[in-house]
Amino acid sequence: MVQEYKLFIGGEFKNSSTGEVFEDINPATLESLATIQIAGTEDVDKAVDAAEAGFRVWSRVPAPRRAELLFRAARILQERKEELAVLMTEEMGKILPETRGDVQEAIDITNYAAGEGRRMFGETTPSELNEKFCMTVLRPLGVVGLITPWNFPIAIPAWKIMPALVAGNSIVFKPASDTPLLALKLIEVLIEAGLPPGVINLVTGPGGTVGKAVVQHPRIRAISFTGSLDTGKWIMKECSKTMKRVSLELGGKNPVIVMDDADFELALEGVLWGAFGTTGQRCTATSRLILHEKIKDEFTKRLLAKVKALRIGNGILPETDVGPLISKAQLEKTERYVSIGKEEGATLLTGGKRTDPGLPGYFFEPTVFTDVMPEMRIAQEEIFGPVLGIFTVSSLEEAIEVANNSKYGLSSAIYTGNVGNAFKAIEKIEAGITYINAPTIGAEVHLPFGGVKGTGNGFREAGTDAIREFSEVKAVYIDYSGRLQKAQIDSAE
């Protein structure tokens, strides 16, 4: 019998007000892993009440002391790494080496955010007046709402939770309904590490009801969301009504340029990993391959051989290269885009259909199109599946033009042996991230993560920017002259 999991509010696991539940399904086997309670608006209200009480306690804890708790959490995550990785493969589907990396990323960001507890630097600057001191300090926002996706079910929550905590905020956390167990396990880790009651609260259920209630709640001071562009636009509009801070990371349509002077084998391995790692279900996945015409035929031939050799199956098995898609809806969406690509005139080279590796799950063949044109929907819209489109160009300038022909701007890459080509790509590609001779995926937690154009609204996760995402900057003036001094007033003195 599968276990039923409750909400976590005010330091306790509590039954939801709705009495409704949903099943958490293994996408490879379609077996039920757990039953999860669905929160209602009343539960979100209770979570905010608890978070406000938690904030009054947590925000008064000195940042270095808050950091000590995060260091303990990182140690617990390290101890449970394999257990969490196995659970993630069962719940989300991606292969075990990748889920181990997901947990490691959570460990890394937790340690990094903890390290910021003794930094969190403001600035000092000279005053224009005598006997006056000027500085800035960082202050927490208050209660923040965090809404996370299913593809990195412990790393992305950790990217948001840990900086928010070390900055002194309290949290109402709404994880993706496809991967709630990893969110619950992360909550358990923070409880064991000693987080006071109310500082983090978990409400589970659909985005259309629970997520909406979190976004629209008048006492939540900020929203951090990772997900689709359309949902992000709606969130931004809703938050503007109350001047609520909102941080958005909304996906990508990431290009890899391979020039004729590139290291072929290095580029092939990078494209393979970038396009089909996590079954293409990454916001940083390589979905557009831009090949110089001089190498297009040979590169494509060698790439297809590698793609066809990929082994599809249950991610828990060591021989598996590509696991299932997360859900039936994602499977059908991928199928639909393959049909669209054919209708638009792109040439299907391999894949393009469901496959049965001896399991009933949501398996789809790694798929490659060529003769893709920039205006096609498969070139412009995020598929979030194992589908790669190939473009042909005759110069670096044309390659960059094709790369920039997108409403997104998250990650990008170029393979070249020419340092001039590399620096031109860095300068001219419209993206928040550019890799040189590496795939579009593989962010490190001490650098800012985010994008431009439709990918986001200017905020960045990870790095020191993550602390700023969850902090207000306060300017402080200390006048010790003992007399009234007026700044920016002309004086005869």
Side-chain angles (χ1 to χ4, degrees):
M1 184 175 180
V2 297
Q3 183 175 349
E4 181 173 311
Y5 287 88
K6 303 178 180 182
L7 313 180
F8 185 75
I9 297 174
E12 299 178 1
F13 287 99
K14 297 182 177 181
N15 288 317
S16 75
S17 62
T18 68
E20 299 176 354
V21 297
F22 65 94
E23 295 297 311
D24 187 16
I25 301 297
N26 181 324
T29 66
L30 305 190
E31 296 172 339
S32 178
L33 298 171
T35 300
I36 310 296
Q37 294 192 3
I38 297 176
T41 303
E42 179 183 332
D43 300 307
V44 175
D45 285 339
K46 290 178 181 178
V48 174
D49 290 341
E52 287 183 329
F55 177 72
R56 289 191 288 272
V57 173
W58 185 244
S59 61
R60 293 177 60 84
V61 175
R65 295 292 300 275
R66 297 194 293 255
E68 290 173 9
L69 186 144
L70 264 63
F71 279 126
R72 289 197 295 273
R75 289 195 293 271
I76 297 168
L77 285 169
Q78 185 67 58
E79 292 166 0
R80 299 183 184 173
K81 181 176 177 178
E82 189 66 12
E83 168 197 338
L84 292 168
V86 169
L87 177 60
M88 193 185 306
T89 294
E90 292 173 346
E91 186 178 40
M92 187 265 160
K94 61 186 173 183
I95 63 175
L96 196 53
E98 289 191 46
T99 57
R100 289 179 182 131
D102 195 311
V103 181
Q104 186 60 51
E105 199 163 344
I107 295 166
D108 291 346
I109 193 64
T110 304
N111 277 319
Y112 183 85
E116 288 300 301
R118 289 190 179 273
R119 291 162 48 91
M120 295 186 65
F121 297 136
E123 298 177 335
T124 60
T125 185
S127 171
E128 64 188 55
L129 299 173
N130 290 326
E131 298 182 310
K132 187 177 181 182
F133 183 81
C134 303
M135 67 179 180
T136 64
V137 295
L138 301 182
R139 300 299 303 151
L141 300 175
V143 179
V144 298
L146 310 181
I147 303 174
T148 61
W150 45 261
N151 58 336
F152 285 83
I154 201 166
I156 291 179
W159 276 39
K160 298 179 188 294
I161 289 169
M162 303 312 174
L165 288 178
V166 81
N169 301 281
S170 61
I171 295 166
V172 176
F173 172 31
K174 207 299 282 187
S177 294
D178 284 316
T179 53
L181 279 181
L182 268 298
L184 284 154
K185 295 301 178 182
L186 186 56
I187 294 293
E188 290 176 359
V189 167
L190 290 168
I191 295 168
E192 185 175 336
L195 194 66
V199 179
I200 191 164
N201 305 273
L202 180 76
V203 287
T204 48
T209 54
V210 184
K212 182 179 180 181
V214 172
V215 169
Q216 294 181 329
H217 202 285
R219 288 182 285 138
I220 290 180
R221 302 291 298 276
I223 296 293
S224 180
F225 170 77
T226 299
S228 73
L229 176 58
D230 288 343
T231 302
K233 286 180 178 179
W234 177 84
I235 290 173
M236 197 166 187
K237 181 178 179 181
E238 288 298 305
C239 290
S240 71
K241 295 176 182 178
T242 55
M243 299 298 289
K244 185 179 299 183
R245 180 180 292 193
V246 56
S247 170
L248 303 172
E249 198 281 285
L250 306 176
K253 195 69 181 174
N254 309 292
V256 169
I257 298 169
V258 182
M259 296 301 292
D260 55 331
D261 59 357
D263 180 326
F264 251 47
E265 194 58 35
L266 181 64
L268 285 164
E269 292 299 325
V271 170
L272 196 73
W273 168 235
F276 304 115
T278 321
T279 320
Q281 300 172 116
R282 292 177 182 245
C283 54
T284 56
T286 300
S287 55
R288 295 185 293 151
L289 174 58
I290 303 169
L291 297 178
H292 194 284
E293 60 185 7
K294 292 182 179 178
I295 61 161
K296 189 254 186 180
D297 290 344
E298 180 62 22
F299 193 93
T300 301
K301 176 183 175 182
R302 291 170 62 176
L303 176 64
L304 288 176
K306 290 182 177 292
V307 172
K308 292 174 182 179
L310 292 172
R311 295 161 297 186
I312 303 168
N314 193 330
I316 209 73
L317 301 175
E319 63 268 23
T320 300
D321 298 310
V322 179
L325 290 163
I326 186 65
S327 65
K328 182 180 179 182
Q330 199 62 34
L331 182 69
E332 292 173 347
K333 178 184 177 183
T334 305
E335 277 187 317
R336 191 162 60 250
Y337 271 101
V338 169
S339 296
I340 289 168
K342 292 176 181 178
E343 292 167 3
E344 290 180 319
T347 302
L348 180 64
L349 295 178
T350 190
K353 60 184 184 295
R354 302 186 190 195
T355 185
D356 180 1
L359 293 167
Y362 308 120
F363 296 95
F364 199 86
E365 293 178 338
T367 300
V368 180
F369 279 100
T370 192
D371 302 323
V372 180
M373 304 303 293
E375 66 274 9
M376 292 179 177
R377 288 182 63 188
I378 62 168
Q380 292 292 333
E381 299 174 15
E382 189 174 38
I383 300 171
F384 231 61
V387 180
L388 176 67
I390 298 177
F391 303 73
T392 307
V393 297
S394 60
S395 66
L396 176 63
E397 290 71 24
E398 185 183 0
I400 292 173
E401 182 180 349
V402 171
N404 289 340
N405 188 352
S406 171
K407 62 186 174 184
Y408 296 106
L410 179 53
S411 190
S412 60
I414 183 170
Y415 283 85
T416 180
N418 183 315
V419 68
N421 287 343
F423 273 91
K424 287 177 183 176
I426 292 168
E427 177 186 354
K428 295 180 179 180
I429 291 178
E430 297 168 351
I433 305 166
T434 297
Y435 292 88
I436 308 301
N437 294 325
T440 56
I441 56 181
E444 300 183 36
V445 301
H446 50 288
L447 271 72
F449 181 90
V452 302
K453 300 192 287 190
T455 289
N457 64 333
F459 283 95
R460 295 289 186 269
E461 296 186 329
T464 54
D465 290 54
I467 304 298
R468 298 297 177 122
E469 179 184 354
F470 294 106
S471 301
E472 293 283 9
V473 179
K474 175 180 279 192
V476 179
Y477 300 93
I478 303 169
D479 192 320
Y480 53 96
S481 67
R483 62 187 185 278
L484 175 63
Q485 299 193 90
K486 299 178 180 178
Q488 290 135 5
I489 299 294
D490 290 339
S491 172
E493 297 179 4

